[in-house]
Amino acid sequence: MDWLQVAVLSIVQGLTEFLPVSSSAHLILVPVLTDWTDQGLAFDVALHLGSLAAVVLYFRHELARMIVSWTGSLRGGTPDRDARLAWWVLLATIPVSVVGFASRDAIEVGMRSPLIIAGGLIGFGVLLGVADWRRRNGRSEYQLTLKDAVLIGLAQALALIPGTSRSGITITAALLLGMSREGAARFSFLLSIPVIVLASALEIVGLASEPRAVEWSTLVVGTLLSGISAYLCIHYFLVFIRRVGMQPFVAYRIVLGLWLLWLFW
């Protein structure tokens, strides 16, 4: 890979991992608009690890409290709000893990069509717009209930449909359940941690059987660029939605979906 390809793919991954705009749609567009060869599984793993490092670093204080409180709850202590949040993150990860493992091959083979991605962008984009329009100044991530966690977890499983956007569908579900924009986004970002860990683990297993030379310089640069862009994305996204809301992302999704329909119909 040349350095332009490394930079573009890294930044696209870092941004679209957390913005509600669908990373799968953008990763389809990149090869359409360029003549680049496939970057390889090792580079994909590096980009995911960069995004993971960014979200862990950004929420390091919250995660530290959650881990301490969650461990205490395992020892019989009364769960406080940090322990409950940790339990809700773990619980909401179960549906996407089960569905993902059970249907991974079917999704990879049968649902990577640009037309399916375009439909997901438009349909779930409109749903995000409705959820944001209906929302009120609602609850934070610390005010979630067991029912909320289960429903958001079930919604997250829909992100396996290309074009849906994991962050987009979890934020949509959280808004519909009465969460604030910032609370919905923060819970969505926390949910990304176990999901990225599981996805990276699967990629590493596949990497073990991929007999390709590793370009360590591109992996290091890709990880750094992905991590930096993801960290900045999380920070400014939370500021942006507090002031503006989700509607610009809704409009972007619809336009991108229509463009994909025009390109591939």
Side-chain angles (χ1 to χ4, degrees):
M1 288 189 296
D2 60 37
W3 291 112
L4 177 61
Q5 183 179 2
V6 170
V8 170
L9 291 175
S10 302
I11 293 171
V12 167
Q13 166 63 29
L15 294 177
T16 60
E17 183 70 44
F18 298 109
L19 292 179
V21 295
S22 176
S23 59
S24 58
H26 290 78
L27 293 176
I28 273 194
L29 278 177
V30 169
V32 167
L33 299 175
T34 68
D35 58 355
W36 292 336
T37 58
D38 181 76
Q39 65 269 20
L41 191 55
F43 192 70
D44 288 342
V45 172
L47 298 189
H48 279 105
L49 292 178
S51 299
L52 176 63
V55 69
V56 169
L57 180 62
Y58 191 89
F59 289 100
R60 61 192 181 279
H61 300 302
E62 292 89 340
L63 289 170
R65 292 195 303 268
M66 289 165 62
I67 292 170
V68 170
S69 295
W70 179 76
T71 303
S73 72
L74 289 178
R75 296 172 179 170
T78 301
D80 60 11
R81 68 174 199 163
D82 292 303
R84 285 193 298 271
L85 182 57
W87 279 113
W88 300 158
V89 168
L90 293 173
L91 178 64
T93 305
I94 295 173
V96 71
S97 303
V98 173
V99 176
F101 279 114
S103 59
R104 184 184 179 199
D105 293 338
I107 292 170
E108 288 293 327
V109 174
M111 299 189 68
R112 303 299 296 181
S113 162
L115 297 182
I116 292 178
I117 292 175
L121 279 168
I122 296 170
F124 288 108
V126 170
L127 186 60
L128 173 62
V130 171
D132 187 55
W133 176 71
R134 290 184 55 192
R135 65 96 207 166
R136 298 293 182 267
N137 292 325
R139 298 170 292 152
S140 74
E141 67 273 25
Y142 290 103
Q143 296 172 301
L144 286 168
T145 66
L146 172 61
K147 177 183 176 182
D148 295 328
V150 170
L151 292 175
I152 294 172
L154 292 173
Q156 184 172 225
L158 294 174
L160 295 168
I161 302 171
T164 302
S165 169
R166 192 208 60 80
S167 62
I169 193 62
T170 51
I171 290 172
T172 298
L175 289 173
L176 290 173
L177 289 168
M179 292 187 70
S180 67
R181 288 169 175 161
E182 190 173 4
R186 289 173 66 86
F187 187 63
S188 174
F189 294 152
L190 289 171
L191 278 179
S192 73
I193 295 172
V195 170
I196 296 175
V197 168
L198 291 171
S200 298
L202 282 176
E203 289 178 338
I204 290 171
V205 170
L207 186 60
S209 60
E210 186 180 87
R212 294 179 61 172
V214 174
E215 299 179 29
W216 289 105
S217 59
T218 61
L219 297 188
V220 171
V221 172
T223 302
L224 288 174
L225 287 177
S226 173
I228 292 169
S229 59
Y231 188 93
L232 293 173
C233 172
I234 294 170
H235 175 74
Y236 287 107
F237 178 72
L238 290 172
V239 173
F240 183 85
I241 62 171
R242 194 182 307 130
R243 297 176 179 176
V244 179
M246 301 290 177
Q247 300 306 322
F249 299 103
V250 173
Y252 177 80
R253 287 179 64 114
I254 292 172
V255 170
L256 181 57
L258 292 173
W259 188 30
L260 285 174
L261 288 176
W262 180 73
L263 284 175
F264 294 100
W265 191 268

